[in-house]
Protein backbone atom coordinates (compact mmCIF):
# COMPACT_ATOMS: atom_id res chain seq x y z
CA UNK A 1 0.00 0.00 0.00
CA UNK A 2 1.32 3.44 -0.94
CA UNK A 3 1.54 6.06 1.85
CA UNK A 4 0.23 8.97 -0.23
CA UNK A 5 -1.83 11.71 1.46
CA UNK A 6 -5.54 11.53 0.63
CA UNK A 7 -7.12 14.58 -0.97
CA UNK A 8 -9.23 16.77 1.36
CA UNK A 9 -12.81 15.55 1.54
CA UNK A 10 -16.13 17.37 1.77
CA UNK A 11 -18.22 14.86 3.75
CA UNK A 12 -17.89 11.48 5.40
CA UNK A 13 -20.21 9.80 2.88
CA UNK A 14 -18.21 11.27 -0.02
CA UNK A 15 -15.01 9.96 1.56
CA UNK A 16 -16.49 6.46 1.87
CA UNK A 17 -17.55 6.50 -1.78
CA UNK A 18 -14.07 7.65 -2.84
CA UNK A 19 -12.48 4.83 -0.84
CA UNK A 20 -14.87 2.25 -2.31
CA UNK A 21 -13.93 3.50 -5.79
CA UNK A 22 -10.23 2.94 -5.10
CA UNK A 23 -9.31 6.63 -5.09
CA UNK A 24 -7.31 6.33 -1.86
CA UNK A 25 -5.58 3.02 -2.43
CA UNK A 26 -6.50 -0.64 -3.06
CA UNK A 27 -10.12 -1.56 -3.61
CA UNK A 28 -11.70 -2.45 -0.23
CA UNK A 29 -13.36 -5.42 -1.93
CA UNK A 30 -9.89 -6.96 -2.16
CA UNK A 31 -9.22 -6.58 1.58
CA UNK A 32 -10.45 -8.43 4.66
CA UNK A 33 -11.09 -7.18 8.20
CA UNK A 34 -9.03 -9.82 10.00
CA UNK A 35 -10.38 -9.05 13.47
CA UNK A 36 -13.19 -7.00 14.97
CA UNK A 37 -13.05 -6.09 18.67
CA UNK A 38 -15.69 -4.83 21.11
CA UNK A 39 -14.32 -2.96 24.15
CA UNK A 40 -16.06 -1.38 27.14
CA UNK A 41 -14.41 0.43 30.03
CA UNK A 42 -15.05 3.07 32.66
CA UNK A 43 -12.78 5.81 33.99
CA UNK A 44 -13.01 8.21 36.92
CA UNK A 45 -9.97 10.48 37.25
CA UNK A 46 -8.72 11.47 40.72
CA UNK A 47 -10.42 14.61 42.00
CA UNK A 48 -13.32 14.28 39.59
CA UNK A 49 -16.92 13.24 40.10
CA UNK A 50 -17.56 12.02 36.55
CA UNK A 51 -17.29 8.40 35.49
CA UNK A 52 -16.66 8.21 31.76
CA UNK A 53 -18.14 5.06 30.23
CA UNK A 54 -16.62 4.31 26.85
CA UNK A 55 -17.44 1.65 24.27
CA UNK A 56 -15.27 1.05 21.21
CA UNK A 57 -15.45 -1.13 18.15
CA UNK A 58 -12.09 -1.82 16.49
CA UNK A 59 -11.16 -3.24 13.11
CA UNK A 60 -7.78 -4.84 12.37
CA UNK A 61 -6.58 -4.50 8.77
CA UNK A 62 -3.04 -5.62 7.99
CA UNK A 63 -0.67 -3.69 10.24
CA UNK A 64 -3.27 -1.14 11.35
CA UNK A 65 -6.27 -0.73 13.63
CA UNK A 66 -9.29 1.46 13.09
CA UNK A 67 -11.38 2.56 16.05
CA UNK A 68 -14.73 4.16 16.77
CA UNK A 69 -16.48 4.92 20.05
CA UNK A 70 -20.22 4.36 20.22
CA UNK A 71 -23.12 4.94 22.56
CA UNK A 72 -24.25 2.18 24.91
CA UNK A 73 -26.46 -0.37 23.18
CA UNK A 74 -25.58 0.55 19.59
CA UNK A 75 -23.41 -2.53 19.04
CA UNK A 76 -23.15 -5.71 21.12
CA UNK A 77 -20.26 -8.19 21.40
CA UNK A 78 -21.74 -10.43 18.71
CA UNK A 79 -20.19 -8.02 16.20
CA UNK A 80 -16.87 -9.80 16.80
CA UNK A 81 -18.28 -13.11 15.56
CA UNK A 82 -20.39 -11.63 12.79
CA UNK A 83 -17.84 -9.27 11.23
CA UNK A 84 -14.36 -10.71 11.80
CA UNK A 85 -13.10 -11.93 8.43
CA UNK A 86 -15.63 -9.88 6.46
CA UNK A 87 -14.59 -8.16 3.21
CA UNK A 88 -13.85 -4.53 4.01
CA UNK A 89 -16.21 -3.16 1.37
CA UNK A 90 -19.09 -5.03 3.01
CA UNK A 91 -18.40 -3.30 6.31
CA UNK A 92 -18.10 0.07 4.58
CA UNK A 93 -21.43 -0.38 2.81
CA UNK A 94 -23.66 -2.30 5.23
CA UNK A 95 -22.35 -2.23 8.80
CA UNK A 96 -23.78 -0.05 11.59
CA UNK A 97 -22.27 3.44 11.44
CA UNK A 98 -19.67 2.99 14.23
CA UNK A 99 -18.36 -0.17 12.57
CA UNK A 100 -18.29 1.60 9.18
CA UNK A 101 -16.21 4.41 10.70
CA UNK A 102 -13.84 1.90 12.32
CA UNK A 103 -13.44 0.07 9.00
CA UNK A 104 -12.82 3.36 7.17
CA UNK A 105 -10.31 4.38 9.83
CA UNK A 106 -8.48 1.05 9.52
CA UNK A 107 -8.28 1.43 5.74
CA UNK A 108 -6.95 5.01 5.83
CA UNK A 109 -4.56 4.12 8.65
CA UNK A 110 -3.20 1.22 6.63
CA UNK A 111 -2.81 3.16 3.39
CA UNK A 112 -1.02 5.95 5.24
CA UNK A 113 0.01 5.16 8.82
CA UNK A 114 0.39 8.11 11.18
CA UNK A 115 3.97 7.07 11.85
CA UNK A 116 4.73 7.34 8.13
CA UNK A 117 3.19 10.82 8.03
CA UNK A 118 5.41 11.84 10.96
CA UNK A 119 8.50 10.40 9.25
CA UNK A 120 7.65 12.45 6.15
CA UNK A 121 7.33 15.63 8.22
CA UNK A 122 3.57 15.91 7.71
CA UNK A 123 2.75 15.29 11.36
CA UNK A 124 4.38 15.92 14.72
CA UNK A 125 4.79 12.89 16.97
CA UNK A 126 4.07 13.81 20.61
CA UNK A 127 5.12 11.32 23.27
CA UNK A 128 2.83 11.02 26.28
CA UNK A 129 4.84 10.23 29.42
CA UNK A 130 4.80 7.12 31.53
CA UNK A 131 2.58 7.73 34.52
CA UNK A 132 -0.83 7.78 36.11
CA UNK A 133 -4.10 8.16 34.19
CA UNK A 134 -4.31 11.74 35.46
CA UNK A 135 -0.81 12.76 34.35
CA UNK A 136 -1.23 11.12 30.95
CA UNK A 137 -4.65 12.72 30.42
CA UNK A 138 -3.24 16.16 31.29
CA UNK A 139 -0.36 15.68 28.83
CA UNK A 140 -2.73 14.50 26.12
CA UNK A 141 -5.14 17.38 26.55
CA UNK A 142 -2.35 19.96 26.77
CA UNK A 143 -1.15 18.64 23.40
CA UNK A 144 -4.67 19.07 21.99
CA UNK A 145 -5.05 22.59 23.40
CA UNK A 146 -1.62 23.44 21.99
CA UNK A 147 -3.18 23.26 18.52
CA UNK A 148 -5.43 26.22 19.36
CA UNK A 149 -4.26 29.61 18.11
CA UNK A 150 -6.58 31.91 20.06
CA UNK A 151 -6.63 35.33 21.64
CA UNK A 152 -7.19 35.87 25.35
CA UNK A 153 -10.85 35.39 26.19
CA UNK A 154 -11.73 33.63 22.94
CA UNK A 155 -14.82 31.44 23.21
CA UNK A 156 -13.90 27.84 22.44
CA UNK A 157 -16.72 25.45 21.65
CA UNK A 158 -15.89 22.05 23.11
CA UNK A 159 -18.00 19.37 21.43
CA UNK A 160 -17.40 16.31 23.60
CA UNK A 161 -16.31 17.20 27.12
CA UNK A 162 -13.36 15.82 29.08
CA UNK A 163 -12.42 17.81 32.17
CA UNK A 164 -8.63 17.98 31.61
CA UNK A 165 -9.29 19.56 28.20
CA UNK A 166 -11.58 22.16 29.76
CA UNK A 167 -8.69 23.05 32.08
CA UNK A 168 -6.17 23.09 29.21
CA UNK A 169 -8.33 25.52 27.20
CA UNK A 170 -8.55 27.84 30.20
CA UNK A 171 -4.77 27.67 30.66
CA UNK A 172 -4.39 28.97 27.10
CA UNK A 173 -6.67 31.91 27.87
CA UNK A 174 -9.81 30.54 26.27
CA UNK A 175 -13.35 30.51 27.61
CA UNK A 176 -14.80 26.99 27.15
CA UNK A 177 -18.31 26.53 25.79
CA UNK A 178 -18.85 22.87 26.72
CA UNK A 179 -21.31 20.67 24.85
CA UNK A 180 -21.97 16.97 25.46
CA UNK A 181 -24.92 14.61 25.21
CA UNK A 182 -24.02 12.73 28.41
CA UNK A 183 -22.78 15.37 30.89
CA UNK A 184 -24.65 18.15 32.68
CA UNK A 185 -21.69 20.02 34.18
CA UNK A 186 -17.90 20.07 34.22
CA UNK A 187 -15.78 19.19 37.24
CA UNK A 188 -15.85 22.89 38.20
CA UNK A 189 -19.60 23.30 37.85
CA UNK A 190 -19.70 24.87 34.38
CA UNK A 191 -23.04 24.03 32.74
CA UNK A 192 -22.77 21.67 29.77
CA UNK A 193 -25.34 22.12 27.01
CA UNK A 194 -26.56 19.37 24.70
CA UNK A 195 -27.34 21.93 21.95
CA UNK A 196 -24.28 22.00 19.69
CA UNK A 197 -25.93 24.53 17.35
CA UNK A 198 -25.99 27.17 20.09
CA UNK A 199 -22.30 26.52 20.73
CA UNK A 200 -21.38 26.58 17.02
CA UNK A 201 -23.17 29.92 16.60
CA UNK A 202 -21.18 31.60 19.41
CA UNK A 203 -17.74 30.01 19.28
CA UNK A 204 -14.61 31.80 18.05
CA UNK A 205 -12.97 28.38 17.65
CA UNK A 206 -14.22 24.81 17.98
CA UNK A 207 -12.60 21.71 19.43
CA UNK A 208 -14.52 18.52 18.59
CA UNK A 209 -13.96 14.90 19.51
CA UNK A 210 -13.77 12.14 16.93
CA UNK A 211 -16.94 10.77 18.53
CA UNK A 212 -18.78 13.24 16.26
CA UNK A 213 -17.89 10.89 13.40
CA UNK A 214 -19.71 8.10 15.21
CA UNK A 215 -22.89 9.98 16.06
CA UNK A 216 -23.19 11.64 12.64
CA UNK A 217 -22.69 15.25 13.76
CA UNK A 218 -19.23 15.69 12.21
CA UNK A 219 -20.45 16.90 8.81
CA UNK A 220 -22.70 19.51 10.45
CA UNK A 221 -19.85 20.81 12.61
CA UNK A 222 -17.51 20.85 9.62
CA UNK A 223 -19.91 22.81 7.41
CA UNK A 224 -20.80 25.29 10.17
CA UNK A 225 -17.15 26.04 10.89
CA UNK A 226 -16.44 26.39 7.16
CA UNK A 227 -19.32 28.81 6.64
CA UNK A 228 -18.38 30.97 9.63
CA UNK A 229 -14.63 30.81 8.99
CA UNK A 230 -14.10 29.38 12.48
CA UNK A 231 -11.04 27.22 13.23
CA UNK A 232 -11.90 23.57 13.90
CA UNK A 233 -9.53 21.38 15.90
CA UNK A 234 -10.38 17.67 16.11
CA UNK A 235 -9.03 15.41 18.82
CA UNK A 236 -9.55 11.87 17.71
CA UNK A 237 -9.20 8.42 19.07
CA UNK A 238 -12.31 7.61 17.08
CA UNK A 239 -11.54 7.89 13.38
CA UNK A 240 -8.14 9.55 13.71
CA UNK A 241 -7.26 8.79 10.07
CA UNK A 242 -10.78 9.66 8.92
CA UNK A 243 -10.58 13.14 10.46
CA UNK A 244 -7.18 13.59 8.81
CA UNK A 245 -8.86 13.39 5.40
CA UNK A 246 -10.56 16.73 6.15
CA UNK A 247 -7.41 18.73 6.90
CA UNK A 248 -7.48 21.82 4.72
CA UNK A 249 -11.16 21.26 3.99
CA UNK A 250 -12.66 22.56 7.22
CA UNK A 251 -10.42 20.91 9.80
CA UNK A 252 -7.73 23.36 10.92
CA UNK A 253 -5.71 20.96 13.04
CA UNK A 254 -5.89 17.41 14.34
CA UNK A 255 -4.64 15.46 17.32
CA UNK A 256 -4.69 11.85 16.13
CA UNK A 257 -4.34 9.07 18.67
CA UNK A 258 -4.43 5.65 17.01
CA UNK A 259 -5.08 2.45 18.92
CA UNK A 260 -3.88 1.36 21.46
CA UNK A 261 -5.22 4.48 23.14
CA UNK A 262 -3.43 6.21 26.00
CA UNK A 263 -5.88 5.02 28.66
CA UNK A 264 -4.95 1.38 27.97
CA UNK A 265 -1.34 1.76 29.08
CA UNK A 266 0.80 3.39 31.76
CA UNK A 267 3.83 3.38 29.43
CA UNK A 268 4.93 6.02 26.95
CA UNK A 269 2.66 6.27 23.92
CA UNK A 270 2.46 8.54 20.90
CA UNK A 271 -0.16 10.82 19.41
CA UNK A 272 0.25 12.76 16.18
CA UNK A 273 -0.51 16.44 15.64
CA UNK A 274 -1.38 17.68 12.15
CA UNK A 275 -1.91 21.07 10.54
CA UNK A 276 -2.96 21.52 6.90
CA UNK A 277 0.35 23.06 5.84
CA UNK A 278 2.14 19.92 7.03
CA UNK A 279 4.70 19.53 9.76
CA UNK A 280 4.54 21.07 13.21
Amino acid sequence: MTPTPPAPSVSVDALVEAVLAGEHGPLPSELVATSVFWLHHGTRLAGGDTTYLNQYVLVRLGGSFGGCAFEAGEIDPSVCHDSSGAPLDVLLRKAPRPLRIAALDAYLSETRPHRAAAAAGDAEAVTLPTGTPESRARARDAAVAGLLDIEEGARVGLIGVVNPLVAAIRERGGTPLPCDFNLKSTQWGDPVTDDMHAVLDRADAVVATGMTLSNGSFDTILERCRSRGVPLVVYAQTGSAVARAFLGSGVTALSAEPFPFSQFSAEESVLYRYRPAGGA
Side-chain angles (χ1 to χ4, degrees):
M1 297 186 178
T2 304
T4 54
S9 302
V10 295
S11 71
V12 175
D13 285 346
L15 177 59
V16 171
E17 290 305 314
V19 165
L20 287 168
E23 296 177 16
H24 290 252
L27 288 170
S29 58
E30 300 173 351
L31 305 173
V32 170
T34 305
S35 300
V36 173
F37 305 77
W38 185 95
L39 301 176
H40 185 185
H41 75 90
T43 298
R44 178 175 289 196
L45 297 175
D49 58 3
T50 299
T51 300
Y52 301 99
L53 296 176
N54 299 312
Q55 296 82 212
Y56 299 93
V57 61
L58 303 167
V59 171
R60 177 71 182 269
L61 175 67
S64 300
F65 290 85
C68 186
F70 60 90
E71 296 291 351
E74 281 190 279
I75 295 177
D76 64 47
S78 66
V79 70
C80 304
H81 173 273
D82 297 341
S83 300
S84 294
L88 200 69
D89 67 315
V90 172
L91 298 186
L92 290 173
R93 295 179 192 277
K94 299 180 179 180
R97 184 179 180 88
L99 182 52
R100 293 204 313 272
I101 294 296
L104 181 62
D105 189 37
Y107 178 92
L108 295 173
S109 296
E110 180 70 356
T111 56
R112 190 180 182 230
H114 293 297
R115 60 183 176 277
D122 295 327
E124 173 195 8
V126 177
T127 300
L128 302 181
T130 299
T132 64
E134 292 76 21
S135 64
R136 285 171 57 76
R138 286 192 296 269
R140 179 198 63 206
D141 294 335
V144 175
L147 291 168
L148 281 169
D149 184 12
I150 56 174
E151 297 180 355
E152 185 76 24
R155 295 168 297 184
V156 179
L158 181 57
I159 312 297
V161 175
V162 289
N163 285 312
L165 187 50
V166 173
I169 290 170
R170 283 204 174 100
E171 288 169 4
R172 293 191 65 82
T175 300
L177 303 177
C179 175
D180 198 288
F181 291 134
N182 297 312
L183 296 178
K184 298 301 182 183
S185 65
T186 70
Q187 179 180 337
W188 302 275
D190 310 283
V192 176
T193 182
D194 61 2
D195 182 359
M196 75 172 184
H197 298 285
V199 169
L200 293 173
D201 286 343
R202 296 174 55 206
D204 302 307
V206 173
V207 179
T209 176
M211 181 68 178
T212 57
L213 289 162
S214 178
N215 64 26
S217 61
F218 179 81
D219 284 349
T220 299
I221 295 167
L222 189 73
E223 179 54 36
R224 188 66 181 130
C225 290
R226 281 181 189 143
S227 65
R228 292 190 59 222
V230 171
L232 171 60
V233 175
V234 178
Y235 67 105
Q237 293 183 336
T238 288
S240 62
V242 178
R244 182 179 60 187
F246 296 88
L247 282 166
S249 184
V251 172
T252 308
L254 166 67
S255 173
E257 189 180 342
F259 186 81
F261 308 136
S262 58
Q263 63 266 39
F264 295 129
S265 176
E267 304 300 322
E268 286 188 352
S269 60
V270 179
L271 61 78
Y272 299 88
R273 301 201 302 184
Y274 291 83
R275 295 176 176 86

